[in-house]
């Protein structure tokens, strides 16, 4: 695919920047002729592979992977009242097989509780079967009515990781919620994405949950993006689907459950938070190409330089790095631009002078140059990639810290939101006051019990009614 002409829009114009970047860096093609459905370019898909590998590594420590069907019979889907209410306007239905109307309509899963739990009811017999912790990474379908956006709001979520766990007691399920939160922290830590954890207000929890913990990230324009949720389901679904176990005393008990989800929004956050005016900046852990070797050959040293570049590539590949050698017939400057746009963390420039000195020039995508000894190239690359990861993480943390503030009044909140910030206010947890806050500032209450290194929880008075309030996160959200 050839380069689009002209410069990338500046990142301060976030929407344009994001859309252009998805196209130019070959992440998603948005031209698929169904609204809310997008196509992964191979390069974008490779990023997805590395990101989800990290997620799988973490899950596989104490979950097992599984795979359930896409289609859910209507009567199962319709069993849990709150769940139906939450999803009925978002479900796609399959009504025909060929030209024959189906006896039982089939839902395309918007999420898989009602596919998985009838089977859990069959599988679960005794306390010895608990805890049960399964996950799957699948596509799900939601007929979203808000504006759709690639990787952010999809009608086909292509990369939905959903974990579904079963426990004996409510407390054990609560511990599992904490353990899924810890897992999510580690995942986003590896991707250098700072997160804010909070407890969603009751009216905003997952349909059929006792409570919902949400994980949010702050995007460059100051809007928040919910990039994961963990739900304590209590016994809502086990009642409906008869998920029972025999306890140690031979009594039949209802099981307690949790579920937890992450979608390709994690990649939207990765791209958006780290990128700059030149394009993507990928942390090495997520980069399909971690180092690109660009040979600088002039005149008669061509053969020498190419041989050394090939040698360097083999060394680094053997050491486990994802490396490419760019031998295309293009000016070096054009190659630099190409790989910068695609976010490759490290460029290794090798010319006759470097070769004579036994070095290669390492240029970080985050902006510095340093020299690496060819004889110890793998060590040098390890060191420099680590520095790049640290720089990316620090920049992202600074962005998050800068975009979080405390607002003592509705006016201050409005000012903060208009400045592209997310704010902590005090709120009494009364729905009426939440509506006033949300209406007066066109924002959303994200949650209470905020967990972020940049938010110190404190008591205060509600910005609407003056009664005692809890520290509450408020933002404009995708
Ligand atoms: N069964 C539980 C896990 C569930 O479905 N939870 S959820 O509805 O909150 O979705 C989990 C996560 O998927 C959300 O936190 C959000 O990050 C992501 N998500 C939800 N709808 C999405 C959409 N239309 N496009 C992309 N991501 C979405
Ligand atoms: Zn109040």
């Amino acid at each position: 695919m050839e380069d689009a002409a002209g410069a990338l829009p500046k990142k301060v114009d976030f929407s344009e920047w994001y859309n252009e970047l998805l196209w130019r860096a070959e992440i998603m093609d948005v031209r698929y002729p169904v609204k809310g459905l997008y196509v992964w370019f191979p390069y974008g898909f490779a990023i997805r592979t590395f990101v989800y590998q990290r997620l799988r590594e973490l899950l596989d420590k104490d979950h097992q992977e599984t795979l359930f069907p896409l289609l859910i019979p209507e009567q199962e889907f319709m069993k849990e009242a709150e769940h139906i209410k939450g999803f009925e306007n978002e479900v796609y239905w399959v009504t025909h097989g060929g030209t024959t109307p189906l006896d039982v309509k089939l839902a395309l899963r918007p999420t898989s509780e009602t596919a998985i739990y009838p089977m859990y009811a069959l599988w679960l017999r005794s306390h010895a079967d608990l805890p049960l912790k399964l996950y799957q990474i699948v596509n799900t379908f939601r007929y979203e009515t808000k504006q759709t956006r690639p990787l952010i709001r999809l009608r086909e979520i292509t990369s939905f990781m959903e974990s579904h766990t079963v426990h004996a007691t409510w407390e054990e399920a609560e511990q599992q919620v904490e353990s899924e939160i810890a897992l999510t922290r580690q995942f986003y830590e590896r991707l250098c994405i700072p997160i804010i954890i909070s407890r969603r207000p009751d009216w905003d929890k997952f349909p059929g949950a006792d409570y919902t913990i949400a994980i949010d990230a702050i995007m460059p324009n100051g809007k928040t993006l919910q990039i994961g949720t963990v739900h304590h389901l209590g016994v809502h679904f086990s009642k409906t689907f008869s998920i029972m176990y025999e306890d140690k005393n031979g009594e039949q008990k209802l099981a307690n459950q949790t579920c937890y989800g992450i979608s390709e929004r994690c990649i939207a956050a990765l791209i958006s938070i780290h990128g700059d005016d030149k394009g993507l900046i990928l942390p090495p852990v997520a980069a399909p190409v971690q180092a690109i070797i660009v040979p600088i050959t002039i005149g008669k040293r061509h053969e020498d330089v190419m041989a050394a570049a090939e040698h360097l590539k083999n060394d680094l590949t053997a050491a486990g790095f994802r490396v490419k050698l760019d031998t295309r017939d293009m000016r070096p400057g054009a190659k630099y631009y190409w790989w910068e746009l695609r976010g490759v963390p490290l460029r290794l420039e090798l010319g006759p002078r470097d070769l004579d000195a036994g070095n290669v020039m390492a240029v970080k995508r985050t902006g510095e140059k340093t020299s690496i000894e060819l004889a110890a190239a793998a060590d040098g690359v390890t060191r420099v990639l680590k520095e790049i990861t640290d720089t990316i993480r620090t920049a992202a943390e600074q962005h998050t810290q800068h975009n979080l503030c405390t607002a003592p009044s509705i006016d201050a909140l409005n000012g903060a939101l208009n400045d592209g910030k997310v704010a902590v206010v005090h709120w009494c947890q009364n729905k009426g006051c939440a509506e006033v806050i949300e209406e007066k500032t066109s924002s959303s209450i994200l949650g209470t019990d905020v967990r972020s290194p940049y938010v110190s929880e404190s008591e205060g008075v509600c910005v609407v009614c003056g009664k005692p309030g809890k520290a509450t996160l408020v933002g404009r959200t995708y």
Side-chain angles (χ1 to χ4, degrees), residues 123-136:
W123 293 348
L124 183 59
R125 286 288 157 259
S126 118
H127 62 89
D129 301 328
L130 297 175
L132 176 63
K133 303 182 191 179
L134 304 187
Y135 78 90
Q136 62 178 4

Side-chain angles (χ1 to χ4, degrees), residues 350-419:
L350 188 61
R353 248 187 271 160
D354 305 295
L355 193 54
D356 293 340
N359 289 331
V360 59
M361 181 57 76
V363 184
K364 299 179 188 176
R365 177 64 180 81
T366 46
E368 280 168 13
K369 289 186 183 195
T370 162
S371 187
I372 287 177
E373 220 185 304
L374 277 174
D379 289 346
V381 167
T382 303
R383 172 176 54 81
V384 177
L385 287 182
K386 179 165 181 316
E387 290 167 5
I388 293 169
T389 300
D390 290 344
T391 306
I392 292 174
R393 178 171 295 124
T394 306
E397 279 167 2
Q398 279 169 357
H399 153 78
T400 299
Q401 184 166 19
H402 177 78
N403 282 280
L404 257 177
C405 69
T406 311
S409 67
I410 294 265
D411 280 348
L413 174 61
N414 237 331
L417 293 166
N418 290 340
D419 279 353

Side-chain angles (χ1 to χ4, degrees), residues 111 113 142 144 152 154 160 226 229 231 260-261 263 265:
T111 168
E113 285 72 12
R142 297 184 181 185
E144 295 277 359
I152 291 179
L154 308 159
F160 194 69
Q226 178 185 290
T229 29
H231 314 285
Y260 155 47
S263 76
R265 280 188 183 178

Side-chain angles (χ1 to χ4, degrees), residues 33 132 153 173 227 296 324 330 333 361 378 380 405 425 447 459 469 473:
L132 176 63
R153 189 172 300 280
I227 52 174
I296 319 283
K324 271 197 167 171
M330 282 162 70
M361 181 57 76
C405 69
V425 303
E459 300 294 307
L473 198 65

Side-chain angles (χ1 to χ4, degrees), residues 1 22-23 25-45 48 149-151 154 156 158-159 264:
M1 275 155 266
L22 289 183
W23 161 246
E26 296 173 312
I27 296 162
M28 304 298 297
D29 196 327
V30 301
R31 293 174 300 177
Y32 192 76
V34 180
K35 183 180 156 66
L37 277 54
Y38 308 97
V39 183
W40 288 95
F41 280 122
Y43 188 69
F45 195 76
R48 176 194 185 273
R149 293 173 199 273
L151 301 176
L154 308 159
E156 181 185 6
T158 69
S159 315
E264 55 255 61

